[in-house]
Amino acid sequence: MRKLYYGRISTTDGQTSASQYEDARQRGIAENDVFIDEGVSGYHVPPEAREKWRMVEHDLRHSGILVVRWLDRISRRYDELHKTMRRLMELGVRVECTLNGMSFDGKAVDPIEKATRDAVLAFMAAQGEADYRNRAEMQKRGVELAKAAGKYSGRQRVSDYDAIKAWRAEHGASIKETAEHFGIGTATVKRACAEQSM
């Protein structure tokens, strides 16, 4: 049975997918069975609009096991997560979460087991969206307070785009090689290179 790992990081400034690759490795999942969308919001970008997620769903169209760190890697929106998980369940996919060992089995046949699975799923989907909204609201308040106190200068870029572009050009490196050299995500390298051509 096919076993895949799906990961997602919202931003590549200061974050990398390394911990999710390690999470997959510890579970014996080969690197070519790991799919990670980088620089993709779990709230603003639906799963079906993500390149790597579409590959996951394609590979699991005949059932299998999907491993994720937590359900919010799939989506942070209640309706989207619920709809996506329902689709996976109908395909007979088992979704396993490494954060706490919870699993959601699409092959469950016992009505109590299915009801329990669906109730927990509904709660977790609601919690994921509530958590995102709460953090966004707290960040907004913090920025407003900092602005009022004259202490807000905006978000600072973590990566030096000029250094990234220069190293890549000097070494004729690929985007992936450049990302690995700097310990950043490929999306950051792409942004740095796009800035060069503006």
Side-chain angles (χ1 to χ4, degrees), residues 9-16 38-39 159 184-189 191:
I9 55 175
S10 299
T11 174
T12 52
D13 290 335
Q15 293 183 19
T16 71
E38 296 189 37
S159 301
I184 57 177
T186 56
T188 303
V189 177
R191 280 195 298 275

Side-chain angles (χ1 to χ4, degrees), residues 116-183:
T116 303
R117 174 199 71 195
D118 294 346
V120 171
L121 174 59
F123 175 77
M124 299 317 307
Q127 189 272 334
E129 182 165 348
D131 177 62
Y132 176 86
R133 288 184 174 195
N134 181 56
R135 287 189 303 117
E137 179 60 30
M138 295 305 291
Q139 181 182 18
K140 181 181 174 187
R141 286 183 190 174
V143 168
E144 288 170 356
L145 289 171
K147 282 182 178 178
K151 297 179 179 178
Y152 183 74
S153 60
R155 183 175 167 190
Q156 302 300 309
R157 182 186 294 167
V158 175
S159 301
D160 181 348
Y161 283 12
D162 290 333
I164 293 169
K165 290 182 287 191
W167 187 89
R168 183 172 183 227
E170 180 181 336
H171 294 88
S174 68
I175 288 175
K176 184 178 179 184
E177 291 168 337
T178 306
E180 289 171 356
H181 173 78
F182 285 95

Side-chain angles (χ1 to χ4, degrees), residues 1-192:
M1 181 179 289
R2 189 84 190 272
K3 188 173 188 178
L4 305 179
Y5 186 98
Y6 177 74
R8 178 188 57 75
I9 55 175
S10 299
T11 174
T12 52
D13 290 335
Q15 293 183 19
T16 71
S17 54
S19 66
Q20 291 177 75
Y21 274 107
E22 177 61 18
D23 194 29
R25 189 193 65 75
Q26 288 179 3
R27 277 137 191 96
I29 301 173
E31 193 168 319
N32 62 337
D33 287 328
V34 177
F35 300 85
I36 298 180
D37 281 305
E38 296 189 37
V40 176
S41 167
Y43 188 80
H44 297 289
V45 181
E48 59 271 14
R50 303 180 207 147
E51 177 188 3
K52 300 296 185 178
W53 177 261
R54 287 193 304 268
M55 296 167 86
V56 165
E57 281 211 44
H58 178 268
D59 285 1
L60 292 175
R61 67 192 180 281
H62 301 301
S63 186
I65 298 172
L66 174 63
V67 180
V68 294
R69 176 97 174 117
W70 187 231
L71 295 180
D72 67 357
R73 298 303 83 196
I74 298 171
S75 180
R76 282 188 173 272
R77 284 189 179 268
Y78 176 86
D79 291 333
E80 282 176 357
L81 179 57
H82 191 72
K83 178 178 72 174
T84 303
M85 289 292 285
R86 173 61 49 209
R87 200 164 55 239
L88 292 173
M89 297 297 104
E90 288 171 0
L91 293 170
V93 173
R94 177 182 171 89
V95 179
E96 299 177 354
C97 303
T98 66
L99 186 63
N100 60 7
M102 291 183 78
S103 63
F104 303 87
D105 194 348
K107 291 188 176 179
V109 292
D110 179 75
I112 299 298
E113 184 181 353
K114 288 165 69 175
T116 303
R117 174 199 71 195
D118 294 346
V120 171
L121 174 59
F123 175 77
M124 299 317 307
Q127 189 272 334
E129 182 165 348
D131 177 62
Y132 176 86
R133 288 184 174 195
N134 181 56
R135 287 189 303 117
E137 179 60 30
M138 295 305 291
Q139 181 182 18
K140 181 181 174 187
R141 286 183 190 174
V143 168
E144 288 170 356
L145 289 171
K147 282 182 178 178
K151 297 179 179 178
Y152 183 74
S153 60
R155 183 175 167 190
Q156 302 300 309
R157 182 186 294 167
V158 175
S159 301
D160 181 348
Y161 283 12
D162 290 333
I164 293 169
K165 290 182 287 191
W167 187 89
R168 183 172 183 227
E170 180 181 336
H171 294 88
S174 68
I175 288 175
K176 184 178 179 184
E177 291 168 337
T178 306
E180 289 171 356
H181 173 78
F182 285 95
I184 57 177
T186 56
T188 303
V189 177
K190 289 175 186 175
R191 280 195 298 275

